[in-house]
Amino acid sequence: YDLVKEYVASCKRHNVLPGIYYSLNQNYYLNVGHGKLLNTPLVPGQANITQEMYGQIVLAQMKELWSKYGPLAEIWFDGGCSVPGISDQISALLHELQPNAVYFGGCAKENNLRWVGTESGLPGYPLWSTSD
């Protein structure tokens, strides 16, 4: 079952531009916190990988999400990007595969979208800053 495919198809049916929300800093299955492998004993079900392998997994997932489902309107990197050594590769993939998407979260070298600054989505008044 391809959940992302169904999501994008539903967006198209309802005339909504799809976006992807991606967290690369937290991954319980791979024992990752804040973008880095945790120095804790693995619990049953967790995979034993290296930091380099985690970076490769992240890049492969992004490539799949950004190339398999057509144009995306927005890409939101939850919590930014703390995975060592892959920001340049993420930027290159983003510009190659989703050049028209707006994005936020610090994984690319720059953001072209600004977060309102609250989890509620309601900005304080007045809000004068228009870019990072």
Side-chain angles (χ1 to χ4, degrees), residues 56-98:
Q56 293 169 356
I57 289 167
V58 166
L59 291 169
Q61 286 178 340
M62 288 184 183
K63 186 172 184 176
E64 177 182 348
L65 288 169
W66 298 347
S67 65
K68 190 174 176 181
Y69 302 103
L72 299 171
E74 180 178 354
I75 298 168
W76 193 274
F77 298 102
D78 181 39
C81 178
S82 300
V83 179
I86 65 170
S87 286
D88 288 344
Q89 293 164 298
I90 291 172
S91 285
L93 265 180
L94 183 59
H95 292 294
E96 175 190 345
L97 300 175
Q98 292 292 334

Side-chain angles (χ1 to χ4, degrees), residues 29 33 37 39 45 54 56 59 62 67 69 74 78 84 99 101 103 106 108 112-113 116 125 130 132:
Y29 173 70
L37 290 180
N39 189 18
Y54 184 65
Q56 293 169 356
L59 291 169
M62 288 184 183
S67 65
Y69 302 103
E74 180 178 354
D78 181 39
Y103 47 90
N112 65 6
L113 177 68
V116 73
Y125 182 81
T130 58
D132 288 339

Side-chain angles (χ1 to χ4, degrees), residues 14-79:
H14 296 284
N15 231 7
V16 173
L17 298 173
I20 298 282
Y21 179 94
Y22 186 89
S23 176
L24 51 90
N25 288 330
Q26 307 298 330
N27 189 312
Y28 177 78
Y29 173 70
L30 297 175
N31 200 30
V32 172
H34 305 289
K36 298 175 184 74
L37 290 180
L38 298 175
N39 189 18
T40 58
L42 296 177
V43 298
Q46 285 184 318
N48 187 15
I49 63 169
T50 65
Q51 185 69 48
E52 183 180 340
M53 289 169 66
Y54 184 65
Q56 293 169 356
I57 289 167
V58 166
L59 291 169
Q61 286 178 340
M62 288 184 183
K63 186 172 184 176
E64 177 182 348
L65 288 169
W66 298 347
S67 65
K68 190 174 176 181
Y69 302 103
L72 299 171
E74 180 178 354
I75 298 168
W76 193 274
F77 298 102
D78 181 39

